[in-house]
Amino acid sequence: MSRIFILNGPNLNLLGTREPSIYGTTTLAEIEAGLKAMADRAGAEIAFAQSNHEGVLVDLVQEKRDWADVFIVNAGAYTHTSVALRDALAATGKRLIEVHLSNVHRREAFRRHSYLSEIAEGVMAGFGPHVYRLALEYVLIKAERATP
Ligand code: DQA
């Protein structure tokens, strides 16, 4: 059975009201509820966390390194700045899928570099809240195919 940890970084707790023209109006709680239902249907285990603090995100990754098979991470602004979070994710030795609601490549230049992409299996960006669902669907399909 797959164990998937969904981790969100700074300001993603504000989804729903934060810059809706960029990030939409769906809340993080709504996204998480949808992902939980998907995981339940597939018989997968899923856990969620969000923090605005870099060190707390590192702690959360360390806490889940034995439990999780796959990390689906939207690190928010720490995507573009945090070597510490990248190192924590690399240290898990587990799979990483990087997601962003917005298309970071058609925004400010500083959003085009990600410290996580080099260690990620894949990156999903620009499809609003669907990025989480698409990433989870990919993980679940792969897990199903791997099952004898
Ligand atoms: C984001 C993109 C980041 O550049 C930004 O700092 C965020 C959200 C996204 O989901 O589109 O906080 O990760």
Side-chain angles (χ1 to χ4, degrees):
M1 185 195 282
S2 299
R3 292 191 181 128
I4 302 134
F5 187 45
I6 312 281
L7 183 60
N8 279 284
N11 299 307
L12 293 162
N13 55 317
L14 299 179
L15 283 180
T17 56
R18 173 193 182 195
E19 298 182 89
S21 61
I22 298 175
Y23 299 112
T25 53
T26 309
T27 66
L28 187 56
E30 288 166 345
I31 290 169
E32 290 179 349
L35 298 177
K36 174 84 174 82
M38 274 177 77
D40 286 351
R41 278 196 298 275
E45 284 186 57
I46 195 161
F48 304 94
Q50 186 277 331
S51 176
N52 293 325
H53 305 278
E54 186 175 13
V56 174
L57 291 166
V58 169
D59 287 343
L60 286 162
V61 169
Q62 290 186 6
E63 276 164 29
K64 285 286 188 286
R65 63 185 281 188
D66 291 331
W67 180 84
D69 302 311
V70 186
F71 289 79
I72 296 177
V73 177
N74 184 349
Y78 289 137
T79 306
H80 318 297
T81 63
S82 182
V83 177
L85 184 57
R86 172 202 172 118
D87 285 352
L89 287 161
T92 67
K94 302 294 178 67
R95 294 164 61 201
L96 167 66
I97 317 280
E98 175 184 350
V99 299
H100 301 284
L101 294 107
S102 64
N103 179 354
V104 285
H105 299 287
R106 70 171 207 190
R107 298 183 62 193
E108 302 92 331
F110 66 83
R111 295 186 203 275
R112 282 182 212 139
H113 176 258
S114 162
Y115 279 101
L116 303 187
S117 298
E118 280 177 4
I119 60 161
E121 185 172 327
V123 182
M124 189 88 65
F127 305 110
H130 299 293
V131 292
Y132 295 92
R133 195 172 52 73
L134 293 167
L136 180 60
E137 199 167 309
Y138 162 76
V139 168
L140 296 174
I141 288 169
K142 260 202 119 176
E144 200 176 296
R145 296 230 172 112
T147 308

